[in-house]
Amino acid sequence: MKKNIIFSCLIALTAFACSNNKLVGIILEHDIIEEYNFNDCLSNVDYKLDDILDSMRIISLESNDISLIGNTYKLIVTDKRIYIYDDYQEYGLIIFDSNGKFLKRIERGNGPGEYQRILSIAFDKYQQELLILTNPYLLKYDADGNYISTIELDYPTDNIVGCTQDKYLFSKVYGHQSKDNGDIDSYSLLVADKNGSLLQMLMPYNNTIIPMRTGSCVYDDKISIGLSHCDSIYYFDNDSLFHYRNLDFSSKKLDISQFTTYQDYIQSYLTKIESDRLFFNGTFFENKSHFILPLNMGRTSYLIFVDKESGKTHSGKLQFYDNTSAIPILAPMGVSDSWFYALGNPADYKHGSLSNPKYLSKEDVAKLESLTPDDNPYIMFYKLKRFE
């Protein structure tokens, strides 16, 4: 990794949108840009746990008739609660306490505090509120899932990117049209106040045929933001968007110019099980010492583990792992304090590893041994060690 010091400047800041008086453009205040070259590590076939893993712990989630979890779209872990948005029983949001005890399922419906379809969920730590986005509405609940209020949004959005003390960040997939917001269709990141009023439109699309997907991670009260098929990570702070991380994987980067339509891209690349071309889907996870970057190869994920201090990396395809000393770590779904966390499948965890349960306590081994294939997933938390 090298860091280039660039004089702070404001680039590509446009005037106010005439029809809506909203600040539009992409704001790049360059200061310190971190550049990571991943090409040397992309030849690795797998990642070895002993090279990267420092510690691990397990939380098992209570299983009963109304707490069962299907395919999980989002997992949020806070100090006191666990929130899971899944597709079981025609989609829903399930709440557990911090020990995995089932508390509540927020059901579909047409009444106050109910929804027809969830697009995204988030937790606003400043207001201690659970948020459900169900276009064009943003539903608010307290931390226990009790309904508070609904905000009607007058602009299209698909995802809650994050929350600051006084703002929401939303994103939207290219192509969603808006009748009354002028140039909003040209931008992928939307900034609103906590009443839902649109304040800014940031990040113009790059004119490719690939719709942009936005991933985010909150660290040190800054919202880091990545966009799919882009080689950069930004962060939002004090109403500005800072470009601070360049990602270089050019030796295996997918050339999206070869596709003429989105369907061509889906059929020619994403439907292929095996591929050696990589793309960044906008998702990444970071804590104080490390960040984990999943790159995609067709339907296969490729993980890159980065030590932020040394810049050293480890990497490997997700389906390969050294399983002689512990259950394999999975691609994260979030970060809680210094822990990365993911969901593990009770039907898949036994790979002979529990005969030598390195990194796991006796209590955690007992939790795993007590699970059946029909039980809920368990949450694995793990920390990475410093890369020498």
Side-chain angles (χ1 to χ4, degrees), residues 19 26 167 180 215 290 327 337 360 364 376:
S19 61
I26 179 167
K167 295 179 178 64
D180 304 314
H290 296 82
I327 58 176
D337 296 326
L360 289 173
D364 283 344
N376 266 333

Side-chain angles (χ1 to χ4, degrees), residues 29-55:
E29 294 189 4
H30 288 256
D31 188 41
I32 296 177
I33 296 183
E34 300 177 356
E35 295 188 338
Y36 292 90
N37 188 322
F38 299 134
N39 291 290
D40 290 342
C41 71
L42 293 178
S43 61
N44 296 341
V45 175
D46 60 3
Y47 55 85
K48 296 187 181 298
L49 294 175
D50 285 343
D51 291 337
I52 62 176
L53 188 58
D54 177 77
S55 54

Side-chain angles (χ1 to χ4, degrees), residues 129-162:
E129 291 176 345
L130 173 65
L131 307 174
I132 294 180
L133 178 64
T134 172
N135 220 0
Y137 302 105
L138 182 69
L139 280 60
K140 295 185 178 185
Y141 306 79
D142 66 20
D144 294 324
N146 299 308
Y147 173 67
I148 299 174
S149 62
T150 296
I151 296 175
E152 184 172 2
L153 306 176
D154 61 357
Y155 44 86
T157 177
D158 306 286
N159 182 40
I160 307 170
V161 177

Side-chain angles (χ1 to χ4, degrees), residues 79-123:
D79 292 341
K80 297 180 180 180
R81 297 290 181 262
I82 297 167
Y83 306 100
I84 295 178
Y85 162 36
D86 78 323
D87 66 358
Y88 186 72
Q89 293 182 350
E90 298 184 337
Y91 304 95
L93 194 149
I94 313 168
I95 304 176
F96 299 85
D97 70 13
S98 58
N99 296 313
K101 178 179 174 56
F102 171 72
L103 298 178
K104 187 174 186 177
R105 177 185 283 271
I106 301 177
E107 300 283 358
R108 291 180 57 184
N110 296 310
E114 295 178 329
Y115 54 84
Q116 282 298 306
R117 180 191 176 200
I118 296 178
L119 294 176
S120 179
I121 67 170
F123 187 78

Side-chain angles (χ1 to χ4, degrees), residues 125-260:
K125 68 175 185 178
Y126 301 99
Q127 303 295 323
Q128 289 294 296
E129 291 176 345
L130 173 65
L131 307 174
I132 294 180
L133 178 64
T134 172
N135 220 0
Y137 302 105
L138 182 69
L139 280 60
K140 295 185 178 185
Y141 306 79
D142 66 20
D144 294 324
N146 299 308
Y147 173 67
I148 299 174
S149 62
T150 296
I151 296 175
E152 184 172 2
L153 306 176
D154 61 357
Y155 44 86
T157 177
D158 306 286
N159 182 40
I160 307 170
V161 177
C163 306
T164 69
Q165 190 163 6
D166 56 356
K167 295 179 178 64
Y168 299 130
L169 271 69
F170 300 105
S171 65
K172 66 183 186 66
V173 173
Y174 180 71
H176 280 206
Q177 302 299 310
S178 172
K179 296 180 180 179
D180 304 314
N181 282 288
D183 293 332
I184 191 172
D185 295 321
S186 300
Y187 295 87
S188 56
L189 184 67
L190 310 177
V191 184
D193 64 22
K194 295 258 169 126
N195 293 315
S197 299
L198 187 63
L199 302 175
Q200 291 176 284
M201 300 181 289
L202 304 172
M203 285 188 172
Y205 291 102
N206 62 3
N207 296 320
T208 69
I209 53 88
I210 309 300
M212 282 186 168
R213 177 178 182 272
T214 305
S216 63
C217 185
V218 179
Y219 170 68
D220 273 355
D221 290 332
K222 295 183 179 67
I223 302 176
S224 299
I225 301 166
L227 282 82
S228 62
H229 302 87
C230 177
D231 300 334
S232 301
I233 293 176
Y234 306 85
Y235 72 83
F236 182 84
D237 187 39
N238 293 325
D239 300 325
S240 296
L241 199 62
F242 296 81
H243 177 200
Y244 83 110
R245 187 172 285 161
N246 285 334
L247 312 174
D248 181 3
F249 51 101
S250 54
S251 67
K252 290 197 174 187
K253 183 181 176 183
L254 176 67
D255 177 15
I256 61 174
S257 66
Q258 63 183 290
F259 307 114
T260 57

